Amino acid sequence: MRKGFTATSKYRLAKSRAFLFGVCLLSGVTMVPLFLILWELIKKGYKQFNLSLFTEVAPTSMEAMLARISDSPIPGGILNGITGTLLILLLAIVIAIPVGIMTGIYLAENPKKKLASLVRSLSDLLQGIPSIVIGVVVYIWIVIPMSGYSALAGSVALAIMMLPMIIRSTEESLKMLPVSLKEAGLALGGSYTTVILRVLLPSAFSGLFTGSLLAVSRVMGETAPLLVTALGASTINWDVTNPTSAISLLIWEFYNDPNLADLVWSSSLLLLFFVLGINILAKSIAKKWKIQ
């Protein structure tokens, strides 16, 4: 019996080690393309990564051609794209987060109602719709009635894309809270609305905030819906009713102009840093204020 137990233990240990080795090997294979992309971005993007990238608007094709002829860095930057991205994202956050959190609260508090099941299914369906389709729908809803492209239209498109993640993260975060927490608030005389707003939501802050940040990082690099809604602009614009540029739109424009192709890499590297920073912030917040 002892020999059989020893043989079984050795077999299980060997199988466990083989499985661990296989997982590490496949994980390493998965990471190879990621590191290759990062290396390519850093290698080609650092040349144009300077102060002017953040303080000047995108150059014209002629300015870039003259710089390439003289073998000097391309003048200008992507300030109009940075400000446009911040404007569009800010409007999208204002639109999406309140709607998403309120919808998530309804789903968490009424899990068995038919309307809740319908909203949950539609939310999952919305998450799988291609972004260009959402852009075309917003084009019909906003761009045509307003008779022009605008930052507002781009924000609505991104807000629609953000909604599913915010809704589901809010619902799951509230479901993780113990039922006794709400019962205690109600037993102390608090109204239902007060308990939701002052007890449950602060307790689920980690999940809500993390889900919102991840939703923002998901749409930050979207180009397709902005092409048919925000369109782009060569100057800095703070008017939400006018066409506005974005970093992703500038990358697309630079890619289609051989003279500006070098700016594709620096713009992509900056966008990567933005998304990486948001994800690191989301993980640190989730770790610090996680639901116990």
Side-chain angles (χ1 to χ4, degrees):
M1 289 179 63
R2 184 176 298 175
K3 290 181 179 179
F5 177 77
T6 303
T8 304
S9 300
K10 290 181 178 180
Y11 171 73
R12 290 180 176 177
L13 182 60
K15 186 169 66 173
S16 176
R17 289 176 177 174
F19 184 78
L20 178 62
F21 175 77
V23 170
C24 293
L25 178 63
L26 295 177
S27 299
V29 171
T30 305
M31 293 171 63
V32 169
L34 175 61
F35 282 119
L36 289 177
I37 293 173
L38 290 175
W39 170 249
E40 194 73 13
L41 282 176
I42 294 173
K43 182 177 68 173
K44 295 185 177 180
Y46 83 95
K47 297 178 182 178
Q48 293 290 144
F49 215 82
N50 48 41
L51 184 61
S52 63
L53 187 72
F54 304 91
T55 58
E56 300 179 19
V57 297
T60 62
S61 181
M62 179 61 69
E63 292 174 342
M65 184 178 66
L66 294 176
R68 289 171 65 90
I69 292 175
S70 61
D71 196 23
S72 59
I74 299 176
I78 56 171
L79 180 60
N80 53 324
I82 295 174
T83 55
T85 298
L86 293 177
L87 177 62
I88 292 174
L89 284 178
L90 181 61
L91 287 174
I93 289 171
V94 172
I95 296 171
I97 289 183
V99 176
I101 290 179
M102 293 301 173
T103 306
I105 292 173
Y106 176 80
L107 296 181
E109 293 297 309
N110 305 277
K112 297 182 179 180
K113 286 190 175 182
K114 292 183 179 180
L115 180 59
S117 300
L118 177 62
V119 172
R120 193 177 292 109
S121 300
L122 291 177
S123 176
D124 294 337
L125 180 63
L126 182 62
Q127 196 164 9
I129 295 178
S131 59
I132 185 62
V133 176
I134 297 176
V136 171
V137 171
V138 175
Y139 175 85
I140 297 172
W141 285 353
I142 297 180
V143 176
I144 293 179
M146 291 182 62
S147 301
Y149 300 93
S150 63
L152 177 61
S155 301
V156 172
L158 296 189
I160 293 174
M161 296 179 62
M162 291 168 59
L163 277 176
M165 185 173 292
I166 297 175
I167 291 172
R168 296 313 299 267
S169 63
T170 301
E171 180 185 7
E172 296 302 322
S173 299
L174 293 176
K175 282 183 177 179
M176 292 175 62
L177 297 176
V179 180
S180 58
L181 190 64
K182 182 171 69 174
E183 293 175 347
L186 294 173
L188 290 173
S191 65
Y192 182 76
T193 304
T194 302
V195 172
I196 292 292
L197 296 179
R198 296 191 177 184
V199 178
L200 298 186
L201 289 184
S203 300
F205 171 79
S206 171
L208 272 61
F209 195 76
T210 301
S212 300
L213 284 180
L214 292 178
V216 171
S217 66
R218 177 183 178 273
V219 303
M220 181 176 287
E222 288 290 340
T223 306
L226 297 182
L227 286 173
V228 293
T229 53
L231 186 62
S234 58
T235 58
I236 299 174
N237 172 56
W238 294 107
D239 188 350
V240 297
T241 61
N242 288 333
T244 303
S245 187
I247 297 177
S248 57
L249 287 176
L250 287 179
I251 292 173
W252 181 81
E253 293 174 8
F254 294 155
Y255 178 78
N256 290 292
D257 190 336
N259 296 317
L260 295 169
D262 290 343
L263 284 175
V264 169
W265 301 103
S266 56
S267 304
S268 301
L269 184 60
L270 179 61
L271 188 62
L272 175 68
F273 285 151
F274 280 154
V275 175
L276 179 63
I278 291 176
N279 279 272
I280 292 175
L281 178 61
K283 289 183 180 296
S284 62
I285 290 175
K287 183 178 180 180
K288 185 176 182 179
W289 288 299
K290 64 181 180 180
I291 299 173
Q292 301 294 336

